[in-house]
Amino acid sequence: MARDFYRVKCSECGNEQKIFSHASTKVECLVCSEELATSTGGKAEVNGEIAEELKAE
Ligand SMILES: [Zn+2]
């Protein structure tokens, strides 16, 4: 399984945060606690804007 990361921009405060593409728990913005991604059991559902996809080697 590819271990990709997303750089996600928070729609509330603009903070950019790196999240795991298959996050097993929901991910909150470290600045404003907006939910950035929701766990689906597979690929996480990203709620913010994906600024960049970071591919793992
Ligand atoms: Zn935020």
Side-chain angles (χ1 to χ4, degrees), residues 13-56:
C13 73
N15 173 51
E16 287 188 357
Q17 199 167 311
K18 201 158 76 165
I19 66 166
F20 183 42
S21 65
H22 290 71
S24 57
T25 58
K26 73 173 182 178
V27 181
E28 292 183 346
C29 176
L30 294 174
V31 176
C32 72
S33 295
E34 175 77 2
E35 201 171 307
L36 296 182
T38 310
S39 174
T40 62
K43 205 163 198 177
E45 190 172 311
V46 176
N47 299 319
E49 177 191 336
I50 297 174
E52 189 180 4
E53 287 189 35
L54 306 163
K55 299 283 182 186

